[in-house]
Amino acid sequence: MAKQAAKTVDPTKLPHGAEFQPVKKTRVSDEVVVQMTNLIISGAFAAGDRLPAERQLAQKLSVNRTSLREALRRMEAMGLVSIRPGEGVFVEDHNTNSGLEFVKFLLTTNIGLDKQLLLDMAEIRRVFATAMIELAAKRASAESIKRLREIAGEYPATDCPGRDTGEKDFEFFHELAKATGNRVFMYTLNTIRDVLKNLSVLYYRIEGDPKTAANLYRRLVEAMEKGQVKKAVSIFRRQMERDDEKLAALLEGLS
Amino acid sequence: MAKQAAKTVDPTKLPHGAEFQPVKKTRVSDEVVVQMTNLIISGAFAAGDRLPAERQLAQKLSVNRTSLREALRRMEAMGLVSIRPGEGVFVEDHNTNSGLEFVKFLLTTNIGLDKQLLLDMAEIRRVFATAMIELAAKRASAESIKRLREIAGEYPATDCPGRDTGEKDFEFFHELAKATGNRVFMYTLNTIRDVLKNLSVLYYRIEGDPKTAANLYRRLVEAMEKGQVKKAVSIFRRQMERDDEKLAALLEGLS
DNA sequence: GTGGTACATTGGTTGGACCAATGGGCCAAC
DNA sequence: GTTGGCCCATTGGTCCAACCAATGTACCAC
């Protein structure tokens, strides 16, 4: 091989699909959460059961009690266990105690991709976003609409979707949530976003190309500005239905 | 006072509004969460800021580092901070990072009752429950309907609402969520319930009396059984609108 | 300016200790 | 025989004092 001048790769402009991503560092307590949660959803630990005492459990897991306790804090926050001083740690029924953050946990820690749960989440997204659009269209201030238009105008002019497109999408959605004047829309949207974002393999592929997206959003803003609530909703609903079809097709191909 | 035979109070049948409730024990780490979260939402700690190192922070709070770390775990789970080994603890923007569980935290730790947020939550409940009813009516199996009917029949025959009525309501809702076949409805409903449940002062008063509730639910099941989706939705929507009016009135009277 | 190195800082983990509350078993008093 | 007091082992809650591992910085040699 002849020696030749090497080019310097600009790390901010890597070829599509070859982006670097941070090396993931696992905390001991996080692994404990995954392991114990698996035991719970598999039924090895049933609702109502009392777990071994912290000291024993820590020993079984070859982990310090401190780490185990940090894991238990997180599981308690997810509604998987309840901790009663002097008594012990008890398994709760996640079906009646856990919230959306548990779904996020299940779908973002590859605990075994639950296809049905992901489809369920997509349905919630549709229900939720539809209501959001409707309220946003009804209540958006002139200022909100201005910002929405700006964001829609900032889409990259490529045919090739990527991280940037996804970020812009979320920015647009976030602004829509703010336009509803209801902060809970914002918070719920965050969780939905996290679920989709972490499934990057799927995510980058179900989104349309930037041009199409920008067009869609521009039409949406236009409808909102004219007070055409129903039109705004229908524009959006159609797009989401297409997303869902793509997602379903992808999942079909995976199994 | 003349001595007289004392009657023994049956603790399971206390007079209405005089139920015992467990003495609440505060964990140090929980108080730390409240205190630090207050500083974040008040703006004393702004998004992007780096918090003092764990060792210093623990000292300032007169708390052991272990307890502080447990608090940080929970705050991390709520999306309030991100922890980067070797670098420090950084404040995140809860508007773009936190989920529904943060709303639950805000509304259940009397961090200063945020009336608007509570009304927002009520709106989400309406949006959410409406979609749930619609899907449940479309998809409910014969078995689901049977269980729903059973639950509706188990309402206490009093005029006086209480804890039992609330529990039954949730049981009915849970069954509806299951009837949709979408587990995410179930999980989201859990969070909504927790928010309402912990506001017991409000909760017990916004619910109608058991007889009315039972009647409502029976009519609902009937509509579902006959496949009258729209009717089911409208029955339910009307009830929720009434709930929301009562809630709004109550909040108006509070401030 | 490129890469290597030493070092202080920061979160992650560990082991061991003590406190406080719980539940169960035992026993005396009424 | 029921009540209430008491002891005691168990369990979660807290604290302390280390050490490990990764990060960022400053400095240096090439």
Side-chain angles (χ1 to χ4, degrees):
Chain A
M1 297 284 265
K3 211 173 184 181
Q4 61 182 43
K7 67 175 179 182
T8 300
V9 177
D10 181 348
T12 66
K13 289 178 184 174
L14 285 173
H16 186 240
E19 286 118 5
F20 284 121
Q21 54 189 38
V23 175
K24 74 170 180 183
K25 283 145 270 189
T26 21
R27 250 189 305 231
V28 172
S29 63
D30 286 345
E31 208 208 314
V32 172
V33 171
V34 172
Q35 202 171 139
M36 292 184 63
T37 303
N38 259 322
L39 288 176
I40 290 180
I41 56 184
S42 76
F45 292 155
D49 283 358
R50 201 190 74 172
L51 295 180
E54 288 184 355
R55 291 164 178 83
Q56 302 171 38
L57 208 46
Q59 199 174 8
K60 291 229 182 204
L61 289 160
S62 301
V63 161
N64 188 273
R65 197 176 153 214
T66 311
S67 300
L68 172 66
R69 280 176 59 81
E70 288 185 8
L72 288 177
R73 281 284 158 285
R74 203 171 144 202
M75 295 180 68
E76 186 187 33
M78 286 197 293
L80 294 174
V81 298
S82 72
I83 303 174
R84 300 203 281 272
E87 298 184 48
V89 181
F90 295 82
V91 179
E92 290 289 325
D93 180 4
H94 64 267
N95 286 312
T96 58
N97 277 281
S98 296
L100 208 49
E101 74 274 14
F102 178 55
V103 177
K104 174 177 163 182
F105 171 80
L106 288 177
L107 290 177
T108 54
T109 55
N110 291 329
I111 217 168
L113 181 58
D114 187 332
K115 282 179 19 176
Q116 185 54 53
L117 190 59
L118 186 53
L119 289 173
D120 288 349
M121 193 72 192
E123 182 169 77
I124 296 295
R125 167 186 180 252
R126 200 170 46 223
V127 162
F128 194 77
T130 303
M132 183 175 79
I133 289 282
E134 185 180 339
L135 290 177
K138 281 182 184 165
R139 301 175 185 165
S141 65
E143 203 176 332
S144 281
I145 292 195
K146 183 166 165 261
R147 270 197 299 275
L148 284 169
R149 192 197 307 286
E150 283 171 9
I151 298 171
E154 290 169 7
Y155 271 77
T158 1
D159 286 332
C160 156
R163 191 176 301 269
D164 291 342
T165 314
E167 304 287 340
K168 271 279 166 275
D169 271 2
F170 291 137
E171 207 178 321
F172 190 83
F173 269 64
H174 184 70
E175 197 58 44
L176 276 174
K178 288 209 303 196
T180 64
N182 182 329
R183 275 183 290 162
V184 183
F185 270 107
M186 207 175 57
Y187 290 120
T188 311
L189 184 66
N190 289 338
T191 301
I192 294 176
R193 175 203 57 195
D194 289 342
V195 170
L196 294 181
K197 198 171 191 171
N198 278 310
L199 293 164
S200 55
V201 190
L202 299 178
Y203 167 60
Y204 293 124
R205 288 161 66 192
I206 59 174
E207 296 295 336
D209 64 286
K211 282 181 189 170
T212 310
N215 255 326
L216 175 78
Y217 294 148
R218 267 190 285 270
R219 281 197 298 144
L220 189 62
V221 174
E222 202 172 319
M224 286 175 66
E225 197 166 19
K226 291 179 184 168
Q228 301 167 326
V229 177
K230 283 188 182 174
K231 185 177 177 186
V233 171
S234 81
I235 289 176
F236 205 74
R237 200 196 299 267
R238 210 177 317 138
Q239 173 64 19
M240 279 195 301
E241 279 166 5
R242 257 176 295 178
D243 283 349
D244 288 347
E245 283 169 17
K246 289 185 194 169
L247 177 61
L250 263 174
L251 287 179
E252 195 64 31
L254 275 185
S255 64
Chain B
M1 299 283 266
K3 211 174 184 181
Q4 60 181 44
K7 67 174 178 182
T8 300
V9 177
D10 180 348
T12 65
K13 287 179 185 174
L14 286 172
H16 186 240
E19 286 118 5
F20 284 123
Q21 55 188 36
V23 175
K24 73 169 180 184
K25 283 144 270 187
T26 22
R27 249 188 305 229
V28 171
S29 63
D30 286 345
E31 207 208 314
V32 171
V33 171
V34 172
Q35 203 172 135
M36 292 185 64
T37 302
N38 259 323
L39 288 176
I40 290 181
I41 56 184
S42 76
F45 291 156
D49 284 359
R50 200 190 76 173
L51 295 180
E54 289 185 354
R55 290 164 180 84
Q56 302 172 39
L57 207 47
Q59 199 173 9
K60 292 230 182 203
L61 290 161
S62 300
V63 159
N64 188 271
R65 198 177 152 212
T66 311
S67 300
L68 172 67
R69 281 175 59 81
E70 288 185 7
L72 287 177
R73 281 285 159 284
R74 202 171 145 200
M75 294 180 69
E76 187 188 32
M78 286 198 293
L80 294 174
V81 297
S82 72
I83 304 173
R84 301 203 280 273
E87 297 184 49
V89 182
F90 296 82
V91 179
E92 290 289 325
D93 179 5
H94 64 268
N95 287 313
T96 58
N97 277 280
S98 296
L100 208 49
E101 74 274 14
F102 178 55
V103 178
K104 173 177 163 182
F105 172 81
L106 288 176
L107 291 177
T108 54
T109 55
N110 291 330
I111 218 168
L113 182 57
D114 187 332
K115 280 180 17 177
Q116 185 54 53
L117 191 58
L118 186 51
L119 289 173
D120 287 350
M121 194 71 193
E123 181 168 79
I124 296 295
R125 167 186 181 253
R126 200 169 46 224
V127 161
F128 194 77
T130 303
M132 184 174 79
I133 288 283
E134 185 180 339
L135 290 176
K138 280 181 183 166
R139 301 176 184 164
S141 64
E143 202 176 332
S144 282
I145 293 194
K146 181 164 167 260
R147 272 196 298 274
L148 285 168
R149 190 197 310 284
E150 283 171 9
I151 298 172
E154 290 169 6
Y155 272 78
T158 2
D159 287 331
C160 156
R163 190 176 300 269
D164 291 340
T165 314
E167 303 288 339
K168 269 280 166 276
D169 270 4
F170 290 138
E171 205 178 322
F172 190 82
F173 269 63
H174 184 71
E175 197 59 43
L176 275 174
K178 288 208 304 194
T180 65
N182 182 332
R183 275 184 290 162
V184 182
F185 270 108
M186 207 175 58
Y187 290 119
T188 310
L189 183 66
N190 288 338
T191 301
I192 295 177
R193 174 203 57 196
D194 289 341
V195 170
L196 295 181
K197 197 171 192 172
N198 278 310
L199 293 164
S200 55
V201 190
L202 300 177
Y203 168 61
Y204 293 124
R205 288 161 66 194
I206 60 175
E207 297 294 337
D209 65 285
K211 281 181 189 169
T212 310
N215 254 326
L216 175 78
Y217 293 148
R218 267 191 284 271
R219 280 197 299 141
L220 189 63
V221 174
E222 202 172 317
M224 286 175 66
E225 196 167 17
K226 291 179 183 168
Q228 299 167 325
V229 177
K230 284 186 182 175
K231 185 177 178 186
V233 172
S234 81
I235 289 175
F236 204 75
R237 200 196 298 268
R238 209 176 318 136
Q239 172 64 19
M240 279 196 298
E241 280 165 6
R242 257 176 295 178
D243 283 348
D244 288 346
E245 283 168 16
K246 289 186 194 169
L247 176 61
L250 262 174
L251 288 179
E252 194 65 30
L254 274 186
S255 65

